[in-house]
């Protein structure tokens, strides 16, 4: 195994499958490579692995959710979060997709925030919190909007199915008792 880029014809570090140590080093920050490339005047820093794109989205989400949580009263977080995500989704629809504004706006990964929002909403329901009517309405609109914006019927169906199973889990758990495997256990 070579650890230097000059050790193989592809110019990649065989052990990690990357082009340079910079890819590995900057991946520790979870910051999108485009940020580093722009700051450092480069164009060769990439994600160490293809799945790292989601870490950037998560970092931006957690920072944003933290700012919203700590800048408002705790009991208003859910409402404030859903209002902001709703407004961002309106911009997502209104801004022309080929414009520089759209790409800059989508860079932090806000197109994925509806999925985080669904998780926040379902967690609130699971914790027996009662979301306000405003939150229910905004969550419903975001869900329908996301199902509309998904460009694959299979993914649409899967997304709706997962949401449906969660609601069954929350409100009619006895319908899912076949999942616990108790009928296969011996009564010893």
């Amino acid at each position: 195994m070579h650890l230097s880029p000059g050790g193989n014809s592809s110019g990649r570090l065989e052990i990690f499958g990357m082009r340079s140590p910079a890819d590995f080093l900057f991946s520790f920050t979870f910051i999108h490579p485009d940020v580093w490339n722009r700051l450092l005047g480069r164009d060769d820093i990439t994600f160490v692995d293809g799945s790292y794109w989601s870490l950037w989205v998560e970092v931006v989400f957690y920072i944003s959710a933290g700012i919203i949580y700590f800048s408002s009263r705790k009991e208003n977080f859910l409402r404030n979060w859903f209002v902001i995500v709703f407004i961002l989704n309106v911009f997502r629809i209104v801004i022309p997709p080929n414009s520089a504004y759209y790409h800059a706006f989508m860079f932090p990964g806000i197109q994925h925030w509806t999925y985080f929002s669904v998780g926040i909403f379902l967690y609130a329901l699971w914790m027996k919190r009662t979301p306000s009517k405003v939150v229910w309405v905004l969550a419903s609109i975001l869900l329908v909007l996301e199902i509309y914006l998904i460009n694959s019927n299979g993914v649409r169906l899967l997304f709706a199915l997962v949401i449906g199973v969660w609601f069954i889990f929350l409100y009619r758990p006895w319908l899912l008792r076949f999942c616990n495997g108790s009928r296969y256990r011996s009564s010893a």
Side-chain angles (χ1 to χ4, degrees), residues 39-187:
L39 286 173
L40 300 173
R42 299 175 66 153
D43 66 354
D44 61 337
I45 299 170
T46 61
F47 288 118
V48 70
D49 187 90
S51 62
Y52 269 48
W53 71 267
S54 69
L55 296 175
W56 166 251
V57 173
E58 290 176 54
V59 166
V60 172
F61 160 73
Y62 286 119
I63 290 171
S64 302
I67 290 169
I68 294 166
Y69 183 83
F70 290 110
S71 66
S72 60
R73 292 182 14 206
K74 183 179 176 181
E75 61 271 7
N76 294 334
F77 169 74
L78 202 59
R79 183 202 62 211
N80 294 347
W81 176 260
F82 274 89
V83 167
I84 289 169
V85 172
F86 176 76
I87 291 168
L88 290 174
N89 271 281
V90 169
F91 285 136
R92 178 180 166 197
I93 294 168
V94 173
I95 297 173
N98 294 328
S99 70
Y101 291 112
Y102 183 82
H103 292 290
F105 186 71
M106 299 303 270
F107 182 71
I110 60 129
Q111 67 272 28
H112 304 290
W113 284 15
T114 297
Y115 299 103
F116 288 112
S117 300
V118 167
I120 292 169
F121 185 77
L122 293 172
Y123 177 76
L125 293 175
W126 184 59
M127 294 302 294
K128 307 292 188 221
R129 296 189 182 116
T130 307
S132 68
K133 289 180 183 177
V134 169
V135 172
W136 272 98
V137 168
L138 291 175
S140 300
I141 291 170
L142 286 171
L143 234 107
V144 169
L145 183 62
E146 190 61 32
I147 288 173
Y148 173 76
L149 291 172
I150 294 172
N151 59 7
S152 163
N153 287 333
V155 175
R156 271 189 195 121
L157 181 62
L158 182 62
F159 183 60
L161 184 65
V162 167
I163 301 301
V165 168
W166 260 101
F167 274 97
I168 292 169
F169 171 74
L170 290 169
Y171 295 109
R172 303 284 189 268
W174 56 269
L175 290 172
L176 297 174
R177 85 175 150 236
F178 69 92
C179 294
N180 72 11
S182 62
R183 66 178 172 190
Y184 300 110
R185 293 186 190 131
S186 65
S187 56

